[in-house]
Amino acid sequence: MSKKWLKEIQEKVANCWEWHSPALQIGFRYANPDQSDGFWEIWAYPAIQEIVGGKEDGETVWSGFDFNVLQFLTDFEPEAVDISTGRHVHPSELTFEGKFRGQGVYLHLCLEPPENTEATEIVDLGGSGGPVVRDKE
């Protein structure tokens, strides 16, 4: 089966996501479904950024964001939408269970990055024009 819908759901999430500060990417992870249930499990979360320059040099941060749930639901057929906060091991998240482009999906929209997530972006404070965000190489 073509995984075109997987790219499309990532684009849909990105179109509903508005960063609070400069950032380049949303982190995505996914797991193929078991034979028994047919639902793909997908996690979307803010990217970890490493600061370069300034007094916070070497620190890691992540940007907050707004997510337009109503816009997301225009292309998603929900069976359940839930929010979970304050769990010790997993970050707070908004979850969507249902269908996207006919495919069963369980989407975890993490409100903060999962623990042990590596930095994928650099926030460079060394320039005179303000912070510059780039991919970490």
Side-chain angles (χ1 to χ4, degrees):
M1 166 164 59
S2 169
K3 304 235 179 25
K4 179 181 175 191
W5 69 270
L6 191 55
K7 182 178 179 186
E8 289 174 347
I9 197 168
Q10 290 175 339
E11 289 172 359
K12 183 65 178 184
V13 167
N15 288 336
C16 297
W17 191 295
E18 184 179 335
W19 292 108
H20 292 177
S21 60
L24 299 175
Q25 58 190 313
I26 300 165
F28 287 99
R29 295 180 185 165
Y30 62 89
N32 295 328
D34 301 12
Q35 300 269 340
S36 61
D37 66 15
F39 272 76
W40 282 68
E41 210 163 350
I42 301 171
W43 292 264
Y45 52 90
I48 298 285
Q49 300 173 314
E50 182 179 330
I51 297 174
V52 173
K55 62 183 178 185
E56 286 92 20
D57 186 61
E59 297 287 323
T60 56
V61 297
W62 55 274
S63 175
F65 62 95
D66 293 325
F67 188 80
N68 188 328
V69 174
L70 288 178
Q71 181 182 345
F72 180 76
L73 290 175
T74 61
D75 288 330
F76 191 87
E77 302 170 40
E79 293 175 18
V81 177
D82 295 299
I83 191 165
S84 177
T85 63
R87 296 188 304 180
H88 176 68
V89 177
H90 302 287
S92 297
E93 64 183 7
L94 177 61
T95 59
F96 301 87
E97 183 177 354
K99 293 199 182 250
F100 182 83
R101 307 282 195 263
Q103 178 64 53
V105 171
Y106 189 75
L107 172 65
H108 303 259
L109 184 71
C110 301
L111 304 182
E112 59 187 73
E115 282 193 37
N116 302 320
T117 302
E118 296 290 324
T120 57
E121 297 180 357
I122 297 289
V123 178
D124 190 343
L125 302 177
S128 60
V132 174
V133 180
R134 67 178 189 273
D135 288 329
K136 184 174 181 178
E137 299 172 358

